[in-house]
Amino acid sequence: MASEAAGVAPARRSSGYQIVLVSLLSLNFGIVFFDRQALNVLMPFVQPELSLTNTQIGIIAGGLSFTWALAAFGIGKLSDTLGNRKLLLVLATLAFSLCSFLTGIASSFALLLGARLLMGAAEGGVMPISHAMIATEVSPERRGMAMGIGQNLGSNLLGSFLAPVVLIAFAEAFGWRSAFFLAGVPGIISAFVIWFMLDEPAAPPKPADDADRMSILDALKVRNIWICVAMGVLLVAFFVITWAFLPLYLAQTRGFDETTMSWIIGTLGISATIGSFAISGISDKIGRKPVMIAMPFIAVLLPLAALFFNGSALALAAIFFVGWGVVGIFPLYMATIPSESVDARHHATVLGLAMGSCEILGGVLGPPIAGSLNDAFGMDTFLWVMIGLAVVAGLIATGLKETAPAKVRKRT
């Protein structure tokens, strides 16, 4: 495993600044996900008005993932090259906020797809840059939890919990288009806060020559990188398929009213919010590998409950809470393990690879395939797809090499 010792470890700022950095980046990514999840949770309102099929819903979700992936590749690499991560982060935040307004004025499938493609392009670079900043500024022994908080806390508290509850209530009162206008405002505020409160992180040493640079192919030769990419493809497909179809399934197939459905879906946000501390923090203590193996198998509980559990909405939400804990490992395979497996000079490159591959293969292909299967075989087909994705991801995780600093020090 390559480590920061392979290059010159960048000087880190005070603990207080590290807390402010992680908090603001987590809040910003939460606003990103609030915008991204808005269409999923509002789809019961949007689908009838625009006459969308399940296949078209899947194409919209996959299209956003496609441009998100391209941006993750390109902007992650660009931030390594230019070394000006804060400016790129602020520009991306402003751009995705404007795309939320475009979604609100879409009047057809084509216009809605175009607005979401633009939003994906704007949002895709946010997380690679954020994780690269955390990797540079936060102490290694707290890196797992910091990355978990940066990626999961705000995104799930705002995007997965508050978005269903707030946006559905707002749409019922003022219409779904107004809800998208509401979703675009916080990002503009966040961009200005980041610009004035955060400093440009110290750039890691640049490669001395071409032989010292890391290409995408070089990164994929690292065992942990390609395993993280493979797991990411499967689990991002699991994630995006869930959000694309589960709200519709609960409302149309299971017969829950929109308000009850919004609270059941909101449970996913509470689960992932807690997981942002618990799962990543546990991996700092017991190691990344055991957590990465266990959580995908636990995730199978969610689609099984949606298929077969006929108890109360509260009990169903409790099972969803447990199953959705798998989101707690997303920062591990997207950021923590890749950044612990290569030199600090290549962090944004491998983070862009990990996140971009997950989105372009899992996020892009998963929803259209699941939507087509739903149209062909019934609305519950996507749940069986989710079960298969989770099981295979858990099996692949058994090939990981441990990278948690505490476990590596004990081993050596």
Side-chain angles (χ1 to χ4, degrees), residues 17 20-21 23-29 31-32 85-94 96 126 129-130 133 186-201:
Y17 181 82
V20 171
L21 172 77
S23 299
L24 288 180
L25 294 179
S26 179
L27 176 63
N28 190 62
F29 194 58
I31 294 169
V32 168
R85 289 172 176 160
K86 187 178 81 168
L87 177 60
L88 289 173
L89 181 63
V90 168
L91 292 176
T93 302
L94 290 172
F96 77 68
V126 171
I129 295 173
S130 298
M133 293 171 75
I188 298 174
I189 299 172
S190 179
F192 282 98
V193 171
I194 288 174
W195 181 256
F196 288 107
M197 292 195 65
L198 295 185
D199 299 326
E200 179 64 42

mmCIF file of all heavy atoms in Angstrom, residues 17 20-21 23-29 31-32 85-94 96 126 129-130 133 186-201:
data_model
loop_
_atom_site.group_PDB
_atom_site.id
_atom_site.type_symbol
_atom_site.label_atom_id
_atom_site.label_comp_id
_atom_site.label_asym_id
_atom_site.label_seq_id
_atom_site.Cartn_x
_atom_site.Cartn_y
_atom_site.Cartn_z
ATOM 1 N N TYR A 17 -10.020 24.150 12.580
ATOM 2 C CA TYR A 17 -10.237 24.376 11.151
ATOM 3 C C TYR A 17 -10.691 23.095 10.464
ATOM 4 O O TYR A 17 -11.549 23.125 9.570
ATOM 5 C CB TYR A 17 -8.972 24.900 10.484
ATOM 6 C CG TYR A 17 -9.173 25.157 8.995
ATOM 7 C CD1 TYR A 17 -9.752 26.347 8.564
ATOM 8 C CD2 TYR A 17 -8.818 24.211 8.047
ATOM 9 C CE1 TYR A 17 -9.970 26.584 7.209
ATOM 10 C CE2 TYR A 17 -9.032 24.429 6.696
ATOM 11 C CZ TYR A 17 -9.609 25.614 6.286
ATOM 12 O OH TYR A 17 -9.827 25.840 4.944
ATOM 13 N N VAL A 20 -14.382 22.783 10.996
ATOM 14 C CA VAL A 20 -15.116 23.718 10.141
ATOM 15 C C VAL A 20 -15.119 23.232 8.691
ATOM 16 O O VAL A 20 -16.151 23.250 8.006
ATOM 17 C CB VAL A 20 -14.503 25.130 10.234
ATOM 18 C CG1 VAL A 20 -15.115 26.062 9.190
ATOM 19 C CG2 VAL A 20 -14.697 25.705 11.633
ATOM 20 N N LEU A 21 -13.974 22.775 8.215
ATOM 21 C CA LEU A 21 -13.855 22.293 6.846
ATOM 22 C C LEU A 21 -14.822 21.141 6.585
ATOM 23 O O LEU A 21 -15.618 21.172 5.637
ATOM 24 C CB LEU A 21 -12.419 21.834 6.589
ATOM 25 C CG LEU A 21 -12.167 21.116 5.261
ATOM 26 C CD1 LEU A 21 -12.111 22.119 4.120
ATOM 27 C CD2 LEU A 21 -10.889 20.294 5.316
ATOM 28 N N SER A 23 -17.406 20.179 8.281
ATOM 29 C CA SER A 23 -18.805 20.578 8.476
ATOM 30 C C SER A 23 -19.358 21.292 7.251
ATOM 31 O O SER A 23 -20.467 20.984 6.786
ATOM 32 C CB SER A 23 -18.935 21.478 9.713
ATOM 33 O OG SER A 23 -18.523 20.806 10.881
ATOM 34 N N LEU A 24 -18.597 22.245 6.714
ATOM 35 C CA LEU A 24 -19.072 22.995 5.555
ATOM 36 C C LEU A 24 -19.136 22.122 4.307
ATOM 37 O O LEU A 24 -20.085 22.229 3.505
ATOM 38 C CB LEU A 24 -18.182 24.207 5.297
ATOM 39 C CG LEU A 24 -18.306 25.357 6.300
ATOM 40 C CD1 LEU A 24 -17.372 26.501 5.916
ATOM 41 C CD2 LEU A 24 -19.745 25.865 6.364
ATOM 42 N N LEU A 25 -18.152 21.252 4.124
ATOM 43 C CA LEU A 25 -18.180 20.369 2.962
ATOM 44 C C LEU A 25 -19.338 19.376 3.060
ATOM 45 O O LEU A 25 -19.969 19.035 2.062
ATOM 46 C CB LEU A 25 -16.851 19.629 2.821
ATOM 47 C CG LEU A 25 -15.634 20.495 2.492
ATOM 48 C CD1 LEU A 25 -14.378 19.640 2.400
ATOM 49 C CD2 LEU A 25 -15.842 21.279 1.197
ATOM 50 N N SER A 26 -19.609 18.908 4.283
ATOM 51 C CA SER A 26 -20.746 18.003 4.479
ATOM 52 C C SER A 26 -22.062 18.709 4.196
ATOM 53 O O SER A 26 -22.952 18.162 3.525
ATOM 54 C CB SER A 26 -20.732 17.470 5.916
ATOM 55 O OG SER A 26 -21.825 16.608 6.144
ATOM 56 N N LEU A 27 -22.202 19.934 4.687
ATOM 57 C CA LEU A 27 -23.412 20.714 4.426
ATOM 58 C C LEU A 27 -23.583 20.964 2.937
ATOM 59 O O LEU A 27 -24.686 20.834 2.380
ATOM 60 C CB LEU A 27 -23.339 22.041 5.178
ATOM 61 C CG LEU A 27 -24.492 23.029 4.934
ATOM 62 C CD1 LEU A 27 -25.806 22.439 5.409
ATOM 63 C CD2 LEU A 27 -24.210 24.358 5.627
ATOM 64 N N ASN A 28 -22.490 21.313 2.260
ATOM 65 C CA ASN A 28 -22.559 21.598 0.832
ATOM 66 C C ASN A 28 -22.995 20.372 0.042
ATOM 67 O O ASN A 28 -23.846 20.454 -0.847
ATOM 68 C CB ASN A 28 -21.203 22.096 0.336
ATOM 69 C CG ASN A 28 -21.255 22.633 -1.076
ATOM 70 O OD1 ASN A 28 -21.943 23.601 -1.360
ATOM 71 N ND2 ASN A 28 -20.529 21.994 -1.982
ATOM 72 N N PHE A 29 -22.413 19.215 0.378
ATOM 73 C CA PHE A 29 -22.804 18.004 -0.342
ATOM 74 C C PHE A 29 -24.236 17.601 0.000
ATOM 75 O O PHE A 29 -24.938 17.010 -0.817
ATOM 76 C CB PHE A 29 -21.845 16.860 -0.043
ATOM 77 C CG PHE A 29 -21.985 15.701 -1.001
ATOM 78 C CD1 PHE A 29 -21.812 15.898 -2.356
ATOM 79 C CD2 PHE A 29 -22.290 14.433 -0.543
ATOM 80 C CE1 PHE A 29 -21.948 14.840 -3.252
ATOM 81 C CE2 PHE A 29 -22.425 13.374 -1.429
ATOM 82 C CZ PHE A 29 -22.247 13.575 -2.795
ATOM 83 N N ILE A 31 -26.624 19.755 0.371
ATOM 84 C CA ILE A 31 -27.431 20.592 -0.513
ATOM 85 C C ILE A 31 -27.407 20.032 -1.935
ATOM 86 O O ILE A 31 -28.426 20.043 -2.643
ATOM 87 C CB ILE A 31 -26.915 22.041 -0.477
ATOM 88 C CG1 ILE A 31 -27.154 22.637 0.922
ATOM 89 C CG2 ILE A 31 -27.584 22.891 -1.540
ATOM 90 C CD1 ILE A 31 -26.460 23.952 1.154
ATOM 91 N N VAL A 32 -26.246 19.515 -2.361
ATOM 92 C CA VAL A 32 -26.156 18.846 -3.659
ATOM 93 C C VAL A 32 -27.169 17.708 -3.728
ATOM 94 O O VAL A 32 -27.927 17.564 -4.697
ATOM 95 C CB VAL A 32 -24.732 18.296 -3.895
ATOM 96 C CG1 VAL A 32 -24.707 17.359 -5.099
ATOM 97 C CG2 VAL A 32 -23.752 19.432 -4.118
ATOM 98 N N ARG A 85 -8.645 24.067 -5.791
ATOM 99 C CA ARG A 85 -9.836 23.246 -5.532
ATOM 100 C C ARG A 85 -11.011 24.072 -5.035
ATOM 101 O O ARG A 85 -12.163 23.790 -5.356
ATOM 102 C CB ARG A 85 -9.464 22.138 -4.544
ATOM 103 C CG ARG A 85 -8.576 21.093 -5.203
ATOM 104 C CD ARG A 85 -8.017 20.067 -4.253
ATOM 105 N NE ARG A 85 -7.269 19.057 -5.014
ATOM 106 C CZ ARG A 85 -6.369 18.254 -4.502
ATOM 107 N NH1 ARG A 85 -6.095 18.327 -3.215
ATOM 108 N NH2 ARG A 85 -5.758 17.369 -5.249
ATOM 109 N N LYS A 86 -10.750 25.086 -4.235
ATOM 110 C CA LYS A 86 -11.857 25.858 -3.671
ATOM 111 C C LYS A 86 -12.657 26.561 -4.765
ATOM 112 O O LYS A 86 -13.895 26.549 -4.750
ATOM 113 C CB LYS A 86 -11.339 26.885 -2.657
ATOM 114 C CG LYS A 86 -12.464 27.603 -1.915
ATOM 115 C CD LYS A 86 -11.942 28.580 -0.870
ATOM 116 C CE LYS A 86 -11.525 29.893 -1.475
ATOM 117 N NZ LYS A 86 -11.292 30.942 -0.445
ATOM 118 N N LEU A 87 -11.980 27.180 -5.714
ATOM 119 C CA LEU A 87 -12.672 27.889 -6.791
ATOM 120 C C LEU A 87 -13.542 26.935 -7.602
ATOM 121 O O LEU A 87 -14.702 27.237 -7.910
ATOM 122 C CB LEU A 87 -11.675 28.589 -7.702
ATOM 123 C CG LEU A 87 -12.265 29.310 -8.924
ATOM 124 C CD1 LEU A 87 -13.236 30.397 -8.496
ATOM 125 C CD2 LEU A 87 -11.145 29.871 -9.801
ATOM 126 N N LEU A 88 -13.003 25.776 -7.959
ATOM 127 C CA LEU A 88 -13.784 24.804 -8.724
ATOM 128 C C LEU A 88 -15.002 24.339 -7.935
ATOM 129 O O LEU A 88 -16.087 24.146 -8.499
ATOM 130 C CB LEU A 88 -12.911 23.609 -9.094
ATOM 131 C CG LEU A 88 -11.822 23.856 -10.145
ATOM 132 C CD1 LEU A 88 -10.927 22.633 -10.276
ATOM 133 C CD2 LEU A 88 -12.436 24.215 -11.484
ATOM 134 N N LEU A 89 -14.834 24.159 -6.625
ATOM 135 C CA LEU A 89 -15.949 23.723 -5.780
ATOM 136 C C LEU A 89 -17.056 24.770 -5.749
ATOM 137 O O LEU A 89 -18.253 24.446 -5.851
ATOM 138 C CB LEU A 89 -15.442 23.440 -4.365
ATOM 139 C CG LEU A 89 -16.475 22.950 -3.350
ATOM 140 C CD1 LEU A 89 -17.061 21.613 -3.780
ATOM 141 C CD2 LEU A 89 -15.841 22.827 -1.967
ATOM 142 N N VAL A 90 -16.682 26.029 -5.614
ATOM 143 C CA VAL A 90 -17.671 27.116 -5.566
ATOM 144 C C VAL A 90 -18.415 27.229 -6.889
ATOM 145 O O VAL A 90 -19.649 27.363 -6.920
ATOM 146 C CB VAL A 90 -16.978 28.443 -5.212
ATOM 147 C CG1 VAL A 90 -17.917 29.625 -5.445
ATOM 148 C CG2 VAL A 90 -16.523 28.424 -3.760
ATOM 149 N N LEU A 91 -17.699 27.153 -8.010
ATOM 150 C CA LEU A 91 -18.340 27.257 -9.316
ATOM 151 C C LEU A 91 -19.310 26.103 -9.552
ATOM 152 O O LEU A 91 -20.419 26.300 -10.080
ATOM 153 C CB LEU A 91 -17.280 27.289 -10.418
ATOM 154 C CG LEU A 91 -16.400 28.546 -10.464
ATOM 155 C CD1 LEU A 91 -15.331 28.394 -11.531
ATOM 156 C CD2 LEU A 91 -17.244 29.789 -10.721
ATOM 157 N N ALA A 92 -18.912 24.887 -9.156
ATOM 158 C CA ALA A 92 -19.800 23.728 -9.321
ATOM 159 C C ALA A 92 -21.056 23.874 -8.482
ATOM 160 O O ALA A 92 -22.163 23.527 -8.914
ATOM 161 C CB ALA A 92 -19.050 22.451 -8.947
ATOM 162 N N THR A 93 -20.910 24.403 -7.268
ATOM 163 C CA THR A 93 -22.063 24.577 -6.383
ATOM 164 C C THR A 93 -23.064 25.577 -6.959
ATOM 165 O O THR A 93 -24.278 25.352 -6.928
ATOM 166 C CB THR A 93 -21.592 25.036 -4.997
ATOM 167 O OG1 THR A 93 -20.672 24.067 -4.458
ATOM 168 C CG2 THR A 93 -22.767 25.194 -4.042
ATOM 169 N N LEU A 94 -22.576 26.678 -7.489
ATOM 170 C CA LEU A 94 -23.466 27.656 -8.114
ATOM 171 C C LEU A 94 -24.176 27.062 -9.331
ATOM 172 O O LEU A 94 -25.377 27.292 -9.549
ATOM 173 C CB LEU A 94 -22.670 28.893 -8.534
ATOM 174 C CG LEU A 94 -22.146 29.787 -7.406
ATOM 175 C CD1 LEU A 94 -21.216 30.855 -7.970
ATOM 176 C CD2 LEU A 94 -23.303 30.443 -6.647
ATOM 177 N N PHE A 96 -24.958 23.842 -10.066
ATOM 178 C CA PHE A 96 -26.030 22.872 -9.838
ATOM 179 C C PHE A 96 -27.264 23.534 -9.240
ATOM 180 O O PHE A 96 -28.393 23.072 -9.449
ATOM 181 C CB PHE A 96 -25.554 21.670 -9.010
ATOM 182 C CG PHE A 96 -25.394 21.893 -7.526
ATOM 183 C CD1 PHE A 96 -26.481 22.124 -6.697
ATOM 184 C CD2 PHE A 96 -24.139 21.802 -6.937
ATOM 185 C CE1 PHE A 96 -26.327 22.299 -5.330
ATOM 186 C CE2 PHE A 96 -23.981 21.979 -5.569
ATOM 187 C CZ PHE A 96 -25.081 22.229 -4.770
ATOM 188 N N VAL A 126 -18.138 17.891 -7.252
ATOM 189 C CA VAL A 126 -18.183 18.366 -5.870
ATOM 190 C C VAL A 126 -17.544 17.373 -4.905
ATOM 191 O O VAL A 126 -16.717 17.738 -4.065
ATOM 192 C CB VAL A 126 -19.643 18.666 -5.452
ATOM 193 C CG1 VAL A 126 -19.726 18.956 -3.963
ATOM 194 C CG2 VAL A 126 -20.175 19.845 -6.254
ATOM 195 N N ILE A 129 -13.531 16.687 -5.227
ATOM 196 C CA ILE A 129 -12.786 17.825 -4.698
ATOM 197 C C ILE A 129 -12.897 17.879 -3.180
ATOM 198 O O ILE A 129 -11.907 18.101 -2.466
ATOM 199 C CB ILE A 129 -13.290 19.141 -5.316
ATOM 200 C CG1 ILE A 129 -13.010 19.158 -6.822
ATOM 201 C CG2 ILE A 129 -12.622 20.344 -4.653
ATOM 202 C CD1 ILE A 129 -13.630 20.345 -7.540
ATOM 203 N N SER A 130 -14.108 17.664 -2.658
ATOM 204 C CA SER A 130 -14.310 17.706 -1.206
ATOM 205 C C SER A 130 -13.475 16.650 -0.496
ATOM 206 O O SER A 130 -12.820 16.926 0.519
ATOM 207 C CB SER A 130 -15.799 17.511 -0.879
ATOM 208 O OG SER A 130 -16.585 18.547 -1.430
ATOM 209 N N MET A 133 -9.812 17.558 -0.452
ATOM 210 C CA MET A 133 -9.541 18.571 0.561
ATOM 211 C C MET A 133 -9.482 17.939 1.954
ATOM 212 O O MET A 133 -8.612 18.271 2.769
ATOM 213 C CB MET A 133 -10.610 19.659 0.513
ATOM 214 C CG MET A 133 -10.571 20.497 -0.765
ATOM 215 S SD MET A 133 -11.979 21.627 -0.960
ATOM 216 C CE MET A 133 -11.534 22.904 0.240
ATOM 217 N N PRO A 186 -30.581 27.049 -1.472
ATOM 218 C CA PRO A 186 -29.495 26.827 -0.497
ATOM 219 C C PRO A 186 -28.111 26.704 -1.115
ATOM 220 O O PRO A 186 -27.120 27.110 -0.494
ATOM 221 C CB PRO A 186 -29.915 25.516 0.183
ATOM 222 C CG PRO A 186 -31.400 25.456 0.016
ATOM 223 C CD PRO A 186 -31.653 26.065 -1.324
ATOM 224 N N GLY A 187 -28.013 26.169 -2.331
ATOM 225 C CA GLY A 187 -26.703 26.013 -2.949
ATOM 226 C C GLY A 187 -26.017 27.338 -3.213
ATOM 227 O O GLY A 187 -24.787 27.451 -3.088
ATOM 228 N N ILE A 188 -26.774 28.342 -3.594
ATOM 229 C CA ILE A 188 -26.197 29.662 -3.839
ATOM 230 C C ILE A 188 -25.616 30.232 -2.553
ATOM 231 O O ILE A 188 -24.510 30.779 -2.531
ATOM 232 C CB ILE A 188 -27.270 30.599 -4.422
ATOM 233 C CG1 ILE A 188 -27.757 30.050 -5.773
ATOM 234 C CG2 ILE A 188 -26.732 32.015 -4.568
ATOM 235 C CD1 ILE A 188 -28.918 30.815 -6.362
ATOM 236 N N ILE A 189 -26.352 30.051 -1.457
ATOM 237 C CA ILE A 189 -25.859 30.527 -0.155
ATOM 238 C C ILE A 189 -24.603 29.771 0.253
ATOM 239 O O ILE A 189 -23.620 30.358 0.714
ATOM 240 C CB ILE A 189 -26.966 30.369 0.906
ATOM 241 C CG1 ILE A 189 -28.193 31.210 0.529
ATOM 242 C CG2 ILE A 189 -26.448 30.754 2.287
ATOM 243 C CD1 ILE A 189 -29.387 30.970 1.415
ATOM 244 N N SER A 190 -24.626 28.441 0.059
ATOM 245 C CA SER A 190 -23.481 27.611 0.440
ATOM 246 C C SER A 190 -22.220 28.004 -0.317
ATOM 247 O O SER A 190 -21.113 28.027 0.252
ATOM 248 C CB SER A 190 -23.802 26.131 0.188
ATOM 249 O OG SER A 190 -22.711 25.306 0.517
ATOM 250 N N ALA A 191 -22.347 28.325 -1.595
ATOM 251 C CA ALA A 191 -21.179 28.704 -2.396
ATOM 252 C C ALA A 191 -20.490 29.939 -1.816
ATOM 253 O O ALA A 191 -19.253 29.985 -1.716
ATOM 254 C CB ALA A 191 -21.607 28.956 -3.841
ATOM 255 N N PHE A 192 -21.263 30.919 -1.409
ATOM 256 C CA PHE A 192 -20.679 32.139 -0.841
ATOM 257 C C PHE A 192 -20.038 31.859 0.528
ATOM 258 O O PHE A 192 -18.979 32.415 0.858
ATOM 259 C CB PHE A 192 -21.741 33.223 -0.726
ATOM 260 C CG PHE A 192 -22.051 33.896 -2.036
ATOM 261 C CD1 PHE A 192 -23.148 33.514 -2.781
ATOM 262 C CD2 PHE A 192 -21.222 34.892 -2.538
ATOM 263 C CE1 PHE A 192 -23.431 34.110 -3.997
ATOM 264 C CE2 PHE A 192 -21.486 35.495 -3.748
ATOM 265 C CZ PHE A 192 -22.600 35.105 -4.488
ATOM 266 N N VAL A 193 -20.656 31.005 1.335
ATOM 267 C CA VAL A 193 -20.091 30.670 2.645
ATOM 268 C C VAL A 193 -18.744 29.976 2.477
ATOM 269 O O VAL A 193 -17.762 30.297 3.173
ATOM 270 C CB VAL A 193 -21.070 29.787 3.447
ATOM 271 C CG1 VAL A 193 -20.401 29.264 4.714
ATOM 272 C CG2 VAL A 193 -22.324 30.574 3.802
ATOM 273 N N ILE A 194 -18.649 29.016 1.562
ATOM 274 C CA ILE A 194 -17.392 28.302 1.319
ATOM 275 C C ILE A 194 -16.315 29.275 0.834
ATOM 276 O O ILE A 194 -15.160 29.219 1.265
ATOM 277 C CB ILE A 194 -17.613 27.178 0.291
ATOM 278 C CG1 ILE A 194 -18.424 26.043 0.921
ATOM 279 C CG2 ILE A 194 -16.280 26.650 -0.245
ATOM 280 C CD1 ILE A 194 -18.828 24.962 -0.045
ATOM 281 N N TRP A 195 -16.694 30.194 -0.052
ATOM 282 C CA TRP A 195 -15.711 31.127 -0.603
ATOM 283 C C TRP A 195 -15.075 31.988 0.490
ATOM 284 O O TRP A 195 -13.864 32.231 0.471
ATOM 285 C CB TRP A 195 -16.373 32.004 -1.659
ATOM 286 C CG TRP A 195 -15.423 32.984 -2.283
ATOM 287 C CD1 TRP A 195 -15.330 34.321 -2.039
ATOM 288 C CD2 TRP A 195 -14.399 32.680 -3.230
ATOM 289 N NE1 TRP A 195 -14.328 34.879 -2.791
ATOM 290 C CE2 TRP A 195 -13.734 33.900 -3.529
ATOM 291 C CE3 TRP A 195 -13.989 31.511 -3.855
ATOM 292 C CZ2 TRP A 195 -12.685 33.968 -4.432
ATOM 293 C CZ3 TRP A 195 -12.937 31.571 -4.757
ATOM 294 C CH2 TRP A 195 -12.294 32.793 -5.036
ATOM 295 N N PHE A 196 -15.874 32.423 1.456
ATOM 296 C CA PHE A 196 -15.373 33.344 2.464
ATOM 297 C C PHE A 196 -14.803 32.644 3.703
ATOM 298 O O PHE A 196 -13.999 33.242 4.426
ATOM 299 C CB PHE A 196 -16.472 34.319 2.881
ATOM 300 C CG PHE A 196 -16.797 35.353 1.834
ATOM 301 C CD1 PHE A 196 -17.983 35.281 1.117
ATOM 302 C CD2 PHE A 196 -15.905 36.368 1.538
ATOM 303 C CE1 PHE A 196 -18.280 36.222 0.146
ATOM 304 C CE2 PHE A 196 -16.195 37.314 0.563
ATOM 305 C CZ PHE A 196 -17.383 37.237 -0.139
ATOM 306 N N MET A 197 -15.177 31.403 3.967
ATOM 307 C CA MET A 197 -14.770 30.751 5.217
ATOM 308 C C MET A 197 -13.673 29.711 5.061
ATOM 309 O O MET A 197 -12.976 29.401 6.033
ATOM 310 C CB MET A 197 -15.987 30.116 5.899
ATOM 311 C CG MET A 197 -17.001 31.122 6.430
ATOM 312 S SD MET A 197 -18.182 30.380 7.578
ATOM 313 C CE MET A 197 -17.120 29.896 8.943
ATOM 314 N N LEU A 198 -13.495 29.157 3.889
ATOM 315 C CA LEU A 198 -12.475 28.126 3.706
ATOM 316 C C LEU A 198 -11.278 28.672 2.950
ATOM 317 O O LEU A 198 -11.409 29.549 2.093
ATOM 318 C CB LEU A 198 -13.050 26.923 2.955
ATOM 319 C CG LEU A 198 -14.140 26.119 3.658
ATOM 320 C CD1 LEU A 198 -14.502 24.888 2.830
ATOM 321 C CD2 LEU A 198 -13.726 25.716 5.065
ATOM 322 N N ASP A 199 -10.108 28.146 3.272
ATOM 323 C CA ASP A 199 -8.880 28.493 2.571
ATOM 324 C C ASP A 199 -8.602 27.449 1.499
ATOM 325 O O ASP A 199 -9.048 26.301 1.599
ATOM 326 C CB ASP A 199 -7.695 28.539 3.540
ATOM 327 C CG ASP A 199 -7.892 29.591 4.623
ATOM 328 O OD1 ASP A 199 -8.495 30.645 4.323
ATOM 329 O OD2 ASP A 199 -7.453 29.351 5.767
ATOM 330 N N GLU A 200 -7.856 27.868 0.500
ATOM 331 C CA GLU A 200 -7.390 26.897 -0.481
ATOM 332 C C GLU A 200 -6.444 25.925 0.217
ATOM 333 O O GLU A 200 -5.494 26.343 0.883
ATOM 334 C CB GLU A 200 -6.656 27.603 -1.620
ATOM 335 C CG GLU A 200 -6.103 26.667 -2.697
ATOM 336 C CD GLU A 200 -7.212 25.939 -3.436
ATOM 337 O OE1 GLU A 200 -8.244 26.570 -3.755
ATOM 338 O OE2 GLU A 200 -7.043 24.730 -3.684
ATOM 339 N N PRO A 201 -6.693 24.596 0.128
ATOM 340 C CA PRO A 201 -5.808 23.650 0.807
ATOM 341 C C PRO A 201 -4.413 23.650 0.197
ATOM 342 O O PRO A 201 -4.236 23.948 -0.989
ATOM 343 C CB PRO A 201 -6.506 22.300 0.595
ATOM 344 C CG PRO A 201 -7.346 22.494 -0.622
ATOM 345 C CD PRO A 201 -7.782 23.928 -0.589
#
